[in-house]
Amino acid sequence: MEENKERLEVGNIFTVLGENDQEQEMKVVGFLKVEEMDYAAVIFVEDTQEETMEDISIFFLRVEDGNALSMIESEEEFEKVSAAYNKLDDKKPTKKRGKNRNKK
């Protein structure tokens, strides 16, 4: 999906190719480790300009080799990462979360 020359950090913004081959910017908002695998929590930059924090969907991407991002392929893996994030996020206001913003 995305490979950076430098290590990913919170606040990094990168571009992904979305539906209809439209470029969309995503921002790293956090990291977590689940079962020895690293994951990045990301949001669409456009959402931060148009929505309140309560309405912003958070997505998770697998981090490999410190800087390569890849999609979570299985529902089981997604559920484990979501549960781990929710545990960390229990003390914060609830946020809307999504796996795939275009999935219905």
Side-chain angles (χ1 to χ4, degrees):
M1 169 178 261
E2 177 81 12
E3 188 166 347
N4 299 308
K5 298 195 186 297
E6 297 181 23
R7 188 162 188 85
L8 285 173
E9 296 180 4
V10 171
N12 284 149
I13 295 176
F14 58 93
T15 303
V16 296
L17 201 55
E19 287 188 6
N20 301 322
D21 293 331
Q22 293 180 354
E23 289 186 350
Q24 295 179 294
E25 289 187 322
M26 298 196 87
K27 180 178 183 177
V28 177
V29 294
F31 293 97
L32 65 155
K33 185 180 282 278
V34 178
E35 297 179 0
E36 302 304 314
M37 181 64 70
D38 293 318
Y39 296 90
V42 300
I43 60 174
F44 285 96
V45 172
E46 178 180 311
D47 290 351
T48 64
Q49 299 164 359
E50 299 176 4
E51 301 181 33
T52 64
M53 285 306 291
E54 295 84 35
D55 295 330
I56 294 175
S57 295
I58 297 175
F59 301 86
F60 305 103
L61 300 172
R62 190 181 304 126
V63 181
E64 299 172 3
D65 300 324
N67 63 352
L69 298 174
S70 62
M71 298 294 291
I72 293 175
E73 297 297 329
S74 74
E75 190 66 29
E76 179 183 355
E77 181 181 9
F78 174 76
E79 292 300 327
K80 286 180 186 179
V81 175
S82 293
Y85 182 83
N86 287 337
K87 241 181 177 178
L88 293 173
D89 201 39
D90 279 344
K91 296 179 183 175
K92 297 178 185 175
T94 304
K95 296 183 182 91
K96 193 175 170 182
R97 292 173 185 82
K99 177 181 178 188
N100 183 338
R101 82 184 316 207
N102 298 314
K103 188 176 182 179
K104 295 184 181 185

